[in-house]
Each structure stands twice: as C-alpha cells, then as structure tokens.
Amino acid sequence: KQEVTQIPAALSVPEGENLVLNCSFTDSAIYNLQWFRQDPGKGLTSLLLIQSSQREQTSGRLNASLDKSSGRSTLYIAASQPGDSATYLCAVSTLYNNNDMRFGAGTRLTVKP
Amino acid sequence: DVKVTQSSRYLVKRTGEKVFLECVQDMDHENMFWYRQDPGLGLRLIYFSYDVKMKEKGDIPEGYSVSREKKERFSLILESASTNQTSMYLCASSYSGGTTDEETQYFGPGTRLLVL
C-alpha cells in the first residue's frame, strides 16, 4: 500500500527566503504526483502536477521535482511571501488506478513579514 | 474555471441522524470523489465514482454510502451519524485522460461536520 510522508509537519520562515518542502512515497509505481495548497478551512487548490515520465514542473515561483527511483519529490518556493502561508499537500496516484490518490498529511508553512 | 460546490460549509447533526452531503461540479467531469480530512491523517478516500450510477469503495467506506444519479452531482450519505464521523469532508472531480491539466482533481470548499 502506497504511503506518502511529508516532512517537516510545520515550517516557519522569514519573508524573502527560498524554501523546499519534501515529500516521500513508498511505491515508485506511480501515475502522477501533485502538489496542492490548502488555506485554513478551505478546499485544495492544485499547484503542480508531474506525470511519472517527467522530472519537474514549474509555475511562477514554484518548482516541483520528481525522482521516482528514490521515491521523492520536492516543492521549491522562491522568494517566499506572507501570502504563501498555507498547508501544502503532496499526493500520488498509483499506476494501477490513477483515481486512487494517496495524500501526505501536509506541511504547514508560515511566512513571516 | 472549474467549479465544485458543496451544499453546506458547516453542519451540526445528532448521533443517529441520516446526513446528506451534496457535491455539484460544472465541468462535465466523469470522475467524482469524496474524501474526509482529519488532523495528522491527511485526506482519505471514502468513495469515488467514474460514471453515473457507478461507484467504487475507497479506503474508509464503512458507515457511508454514495449516490450518483446525474453526472454533475455526487452525494455522500451517512446512514446513521456517529461522533467518529466528525470531520472535514471534501468533494473533488476530474476528467478522465487527456492533458496534464485535465487529470488534475478539482476540490470543493469542504463541509465541516460536527456530530454530537
């Protein structure tokens, strides 16, 4: 059974810092991996989706990488802003059923002005 | 823009009540999902549906049922609510196949359910 782990559970950084969020998964047979953002009390917003054949995806100040062989993904946020404060969740879809998405518990990010 | 709406943002119910949570999407997506989210546990899949009247159990279907009579609507039913079903419930939808963007799951705002 696929297990997804995100470390750290919480992270606090000063504004302007570059930061990396980590995600690891136990089964490398994945269909895709997504990073989501969740603001308090709200639903999830997809940030980046990486297909299993891809190594990275970029959107603005965000860059997500995927290393299937080691079971790892990172989300890099450049020049962090207070508006980036949220919980970031990583999710992987299994190769056998791409509707079966497994989520990590998330990293709660606080960017201090 | 894809829009996924959920019928209630907050609900308070009594133990033993039958509870209906409704989800509607406006993008003609084939797939719809119900998750629950609890602190420290992440999101866990309750049920998903890949077509009208079709459903598959997720990881934690016990105590829940679902209904999909129309493509745009997916309902989650708590047959007899219990206190351990107090949680945040999230609905999502996605398109089957196609481009990277089309495979993304789109989430509703969530329903926070409290069972007393």
Side-chain angles (χ1 to χ4, degrees):
Chain A
K1 179 183 169 183
Q2 178 76 272
E3 302 213 353
V4 181
T5 304
Q6 292 184 249
I7 294 173
L11 180 64
S12 180
V13 300
E15 182 176 3
E17 210 168 271
N18 301 326
L19 60 101
V20 175
L21 306 181
N22 297 294
C23 172
S24 61
F25 47 95
T26 54
D27 187 346
S28 62
I30 67 169
Y31 185 75
N32 61 40
L33 181 144
Q34 289 192 68
W35 283 93
F36 291 89
R37 170 186 172 134
Q38 185 176 30
D39 292 291
K42 297 195 176 176
L44 279 66
T45 301
S46 179
L47 297 172
L48 291 163
L49 185 153
I50 311 176
Q51 299 287 6
S52 62
S53 59
Q54 297 174 323
R55 299 282 260 175
E56 65 177 349
Q57 283 283 349
T58 298
S59 176
R61 294 183 293 110
L62 306 179
N63 176 275
S65 68
L66 173 63
D67 183 343
K68 267 198 322 180
S69 60
S70 67
R72 292 182 184 178
S73 175
T74 60
L75 179 67
Y76 174 82
I77 302 177
S80 59
Q81 302 170 358
D84 295 331
S85 298
T87 297
Y88 291 82
L89 295 107
C90 167
V92 296
S93 295
T94 68
L95 193 60
Y96 313 108
N97 182 354
N98 67 323
N99 287 316
D100 182 6
M101 188 179 287
R102 301 286 164 160
F103 286 81
T107 294
R108 189 173 69 252
L109 174 66
T110 302
V111 181
K112 297 180 178 178
Chain B
D1 275 357
V2 175
K3 194 159 186 183
V4 180
T5 57
Q6 295 184 228
S7 51
S8 306
R9 293 300 308 275
Y10 302 95
L11 272 180
V12 180
K13 296 291 181 181
R14 297 274 178 199
T15 302
E17 278 192 74
K18 192 168 186 176
V19 181
F20 293 87
L21 303 182
E22 301 281 334
C23 175
V24 177
Q25 50 94 3
D26 67 357
M27 280 301 292
D28 203 35
H29 284 167
E30 291 87 358
N31 305 318
M32 295 189 75
F33 308 82
W34 275 107
Y35 296 91
R36 64 176 282 177
Q37 183 178 28
D38 300 288
L41 295 178
L43 275 75
R44 292 177 292 167
L45 182 65
I46 304 171
Y47 269 98
F48 78 92
S49 168
Y50 52 90
D51 202 349
V52 174
K53 297 191 186 294
M54 307 303 287
K55 61 185 179 184
E56 286 200 23
K57 294 180 180 178
D59 290 329
I60 50 166
E62 297 78 18
Y64 303 94
S65 63
V66 290
S67 171
R68 193 163 179 203
E69 296 296 319
K70 293 184 179 180
K71 192 174 186 180
E72 68 271 17
R73 188 180 298 270
F74 192 33
S75 303
L76 179 70
I77 303 152
L78 285 65
E79 298 290 343
S80 177
S82 63
T83 55
N84 63 13
Q85 292 179 310
T86 291
S87 186
M88 172 75 135
Y89 290 87
L90 291 161
C91 174
S93 71
S94 72
Y95 175 66
S96 282
T99 66
T100 297
D101 286 345
E102 290 169 337
E103 290 178 330
T104 299
Q105 287 194 19
Y106 294 88
F107 282 79
T111 296
R112 192 167 292 280
L113 173 67
L114 173 62
V115 182
L116 300 174

